[in-house]
Amino acid sequence: MSAPTAEAAGAVALREDLAAAFRICHQMGWSESVGNHFSAATSPDGQQFLLNPRWQHFATIQPDDLLHLDGADDAALERPNAPDASAWCVHGALHRCNPAARVILHCHTPYATALSCLADPTIVPIDNNTARFYGRTAYDLAFGGIADAAEEGARLAEALGDKAVLVMGNHGVTVVGQTVADAFEDLYFFEKAAQTLILARSSGTPLAVLSDAVAQNTADGWRAYQGMAACHFAFLKSQLPQ
């Protein structure tokens, strides 16, 4: 296969995976009306990226529906098929400021959102899933309403830094990854982790928090299971209606 053909095939696969992520998210009950956004960088510098169309329901998104945007296009929000202003500002800034974040998934999953609404939303390591995110989670507690300004996107990018997950106080969660499968796997497990933590806290009894050494060892141990993401995502895709 020639290089241009291989690149085109990769672009098609990326579109297919990102579109599938929206529909899987809906199946899991994580969609919210016609809001929230997923994106994927298509250029090495993150300047160009795929994004879901403004106000199209997650359940209906197909590969060809995805917008291909250029962060340097100052007129993007003035075009007939303009993206959502909030998504443009936040995802554009995140991709531009952190090119290593190839895929960015933002949604309001129930337990992660509940966690984000606690005065202290720290994902405390109390089991395998919560410890998965030990040292991999950033927190932004400066919620100021819907983010639709360029400076807000830059601020969130700074808050995320080199972490995989950004807990957005009073808002929800944003997860980044190298591939759609990697990002979705962290989104899946973060929601599981948040569920465990919320349920444990609801008991009103003290948490059995793992030591820093055990938590770090557990987080490191997850690296050997990175191949799970592709297999899990392939299964989830296979369950989508044809």
Side-chain angles (χ1 to χ4, degrees):
M1 181 179 288
S2 66
T5 304
E7 182 178 353
V12 169
L14 181 60
R15 278 185 174 269
E16 290 177 347
D17 280 355
L18 190 60
F22 290 104
R23 303 197 303 279
I24 294 168
C25 188
H26 174 66
Q27 283 197 334
M28 290 187 168
W30 300 344
S31 58
E32 186 162 293
S33 180
V34 291
N36 290 333
H37 311 95
F38 294 172
S39 62
T42 59
S43 62
D45 62 0
Q47 190 80 346
Q48 297 180 6
F49 57 97
L50 299 173
L51 181 71
N52 47 311
R54 180 172 179 259
W55 300 346
Q56 181 173 344
H57 197 282
F58 275 24
T60 70
I61 294 178
Q62 298 295 329
D64 290 343
D65 294 324
L66 297 171
L67 304 177
H68 191 220
L69 303 170
D70 187 332
D73 181 7
D74 293 334
L77 295 180
E78 300 169 11
R79 304 189 190 286
N81 63 338
D84 177 85
S86 176
W88 169 256
C89 292
V90 174
H91 287 250
L94 288 172
H95 281 300
R96 183 172 60 256
C97 297
N98 187 1
R102 306 305 296 169
V103 176
I104 300 172
L105 310 181
H106 168 67
C107 57
H108 305 160
T109 55
Y111 285 97
T113 302
L115 180 70
S116 80
C117 294
L118 299 181
D120 179 3
T122 303
I123 190 79
V124 180
I126 57 174
D127 75 333
N128 277 334
N129 292 343
T130 48
R132 176 188 177 103
F133 299 98
Y134 184 80
R136 302 178 62 227
T137 308
Y139 301 87
D140 175 72
L141 306 184
F143 179 75
I146 295 176
D148 58 2
E151 55 268 27
E152 180 72 359
R155 188 184 65 77
L156 291 172
E158 183 177 2
L160 174 65
D162 63 353
K163 306 302 184 186
V165 178
L166 177 64
V167 175
M168 305 168 73
N170 305 99
H171 188 166
V173 66
T174 293
V175 178
V176 304
Q178 280 290 305
T179 68
V180 175
D182 289 340
F184 199 90
E185 191 79 340
D186 268 346
L187 177 63
Y188 173 87
F189 274 108
F190 193 84
E191 178 65 2
K192 299 267 295 180
Q195 180 181 24
T196 296
L197 189 54
I198 290 292
L199 291 175
R201 287 197 181 282
S202 71
S203 71
T205 59
L207 300 178
V209 181
L210 302 177
S211 69
D212 289 346
V214 171
Q216 186 64 64
N217 184 57
T218 306
D220 293 342
W222 271 106
R223 295 175 185 169
Y225 294 88
Q226 286 182 333
M228 287 175 56
C231 293
H232 186 205
F233 193 71
F235 167 76
L236 294 173
K237 284 174 63 178
S238 75
Q239 301 304 296
L240 290 171
Q242 299 299 316

